[in-house]
Amino acid sequence: KNHPHHFVDYLIMGNAGSSELMESDTVGYRVLGVQPMSPAAKGGLVSFFDFIVAANGIPFKSLDTSFIDLIKASEDKPLPLSVYNCKNHSWREVILVPSKNWPGEGMLGVTIRFDTYFEAEENICHVEEVEPNSPAELAGLQPFTDYLLGTAEKVFKDPDVLFQELKENEDKPVEFYVYNSETDEVRVVVLLPTLNWGGEDGSEGSGLLGASIAHGFLHGIPSKCCETIGISNEGVTNRVINSPFGHNSATFAPNTSSLPPLSEGLPPYANPQKVSSGLISEQQMNVHHVQLKMTAK
């Protein structure tokens, strides 16, 4: 029988005994949107830093229905997951019990996106000075201790990606995943990028964000913070996918909208798509042209 640790050994050793990992090998489901009281929350999964790379010893090398099949087959039974944390470069086994017996959406209560964890720890933008009355301040961004990670659809691998996201969402609310080095928590903030703001002295505001952003080797997460895997603290601000497994309680009502299909001809890590708990119905899969007609945030 396969075991999650066997998959870890395979990744470390490789077919030829090499310890080098290639980008095409370092793929899995990036954890996003951990719902409170969910099986994923009880298992301690961490948004943005955790990648589910195997379940029950079966590695995820491409975007297919294998994860959903395992979830279906493991309802109310332990499902061992191999999880890689890119913040402190650790592997661990997490046992989740897929279930509908909790007040939320889906059987795991986690939103995931197929993605690469190759050099993922470098894909952050460090918040430095935050201007008064700015969109950054109103969103609660903390100078020098906050790090912008990305959105549910993209990673902020450099400031250009961040500012393009701000520009595309000018005068519209957008959710950012943010890590704080003092609390060691990943949280979701709602930001309204806009030029219609000004300083306390009546001067015109500077930029859509109103904060100085740094990127690069000197602006990574402090080494002391990399001793832990981090904590998810998203609370009720997180919006969750409308899962094909059903909604488990009328007391939990997330907002949903549609996600475009996965483009054809690209490697899995080149066009990451957001899915929830691997919740891909068999009717939505086509062998020759993969389409994920999922509902997402």
Side-chain angles (χ1 to χ4, degrees):
K1 182 179 179 180
N2 288 330
H3 191 278
H5 292 318
H6 296 166
F7 175 62
V8 175
D9 292 340
Y10 167 79
L11 277 179
I12 294 174
M13 297 304 297
N15 289 333
S18 172
S19 60
E20 296 286 333
L21 290 180
M22 303 300 292
E23 184 170 2
S24 58
D25 296 324
T26 53
V27 293
Y29 288 99
R30 184 192 286 269
V31 172
L32 296 169
V34 179
Q35 296 181 52
M37 299 182 290
S38 66
K42 293 178 180 178
L45 293 183
V46 182
S47 283
F48 239 87
F49 294 138
D50 274 351
F51 289 78
I52 301 171
V53 297
N56 202 28
I58 300 173
F60 302 128
K61 304 303 291 180
S62 61
L63 187 58
D64 55 29
T65 62
S66 58
F67 199 7
I68 186 176
D69 293 339
L70 287 168
I71 294 170
K72 285 181 176 180
S74 302
E75 183 172 0
D76 297 321
K77 295 183 291 185
L79 177 63
L81 305 178
S82 291
V83 178
Y84 174 74
N85 184 275
C86 68
K87 185 160 81 78
N88 74 339
H89 303 283
S90 66
W91 295 89
R92 71 187 192 276
E93 181 179 292
V94 175
I95 307 295
L96 299 186
V97 180
S99 174
K100 297 179 181 179
N101 189 27
W102 66 280
E105 190 90 12
M107 292 173 63
L108 294 184
V110 61
T111 303
I112 56 178
R113 183 184 69 210
F114 199 81
D115 206 349
T116 177
Y117 52 89
F118 183 76
E119 298 180 345
E121 72 281 0
E122 299 178 8
N123 299 331
I124 58 174
C125 290
H126 188 198
V127 178
E128 296 199 309
E129 295 182 3
V130 175
E131 297 186 36
N133 299 328
S134 66
E137 184 183 64
L138 293 176
L141 293 183
Q142 302 300 309
F144 302 107
T145 60
D146 269 351
Y147 296 79
L148 305 182
L149 305 176
T151 69
E153 283 76 36
K154 65 182 63 174
V155 174
F156 296 151
K157 63 180 181 178
D158 55 46
D160 290 339
V161 177
L162 167 62
F163 291 123
Q164 181 63 32
E165 183 71 13
L166 292 170
K167 185 176 180 180
E168 291 175 358
N169 289 280
E170 184 173 355
D171 295 320
K172 296 183 293 184
V174 60
E175 289 185 347
F176 284 0
Y177 284 84
V178 179
Y179 171 74
N180 184 272
S181 59
E182 285 189 342
T183 63
D184 199 31
E185 291 180 340
V186 177
R187 71 188 191 277
V188 175
V189 303
V190 180
L191 185 85
L192 182 67
T194 183
L195 295 173
N196 298 320
W197 65 278
E200 291 180 334
D201 58 357
S203 61
E204 184 177 350
S206 175
L208 292 167
L209 182 61
S212 57
I213 300 297
H215 175 76
F217 179 76
L218 297 178
H219 298 282
I221 294 175
S223 57
K224 66 177 183 179
C225 299
C226 296
E227 297 174 1
T228 69
I229 63 172
I231 305 168
S232 280
N233 184 20
E234 297 161 59
V236 296
T237 63
N238 176 59
R239 291 173 176 81
V240 187
I241 283 177
N242 181 20
S243 162
F245 284 136
H247 178 57
N248 302 323
S249 172
T251 62
F252 194 96
N255 295 331
T256 58
S257 61
S258 295
L259 184 73
L262 176 65
S263 299
E264 193 174 21
L266 292 175
Y269 54 85
N271 189 23
Q273 293 292 303
K274 182 183 175 188
V275 297
S276 175
S277 306
L279 306 183
I280 311 165
S281 67
E282 289 81 351
Q283 293 81 4
Q284 293 168 330
M285 303 300 295
N286 184 296
V287 174
H288 302 290
H289 185 84
V290 179
Q291 291 186 340
L292 298 181
K293 299 178 68 176
M294 299 296 301
T295 52
K297 65 175 283 294

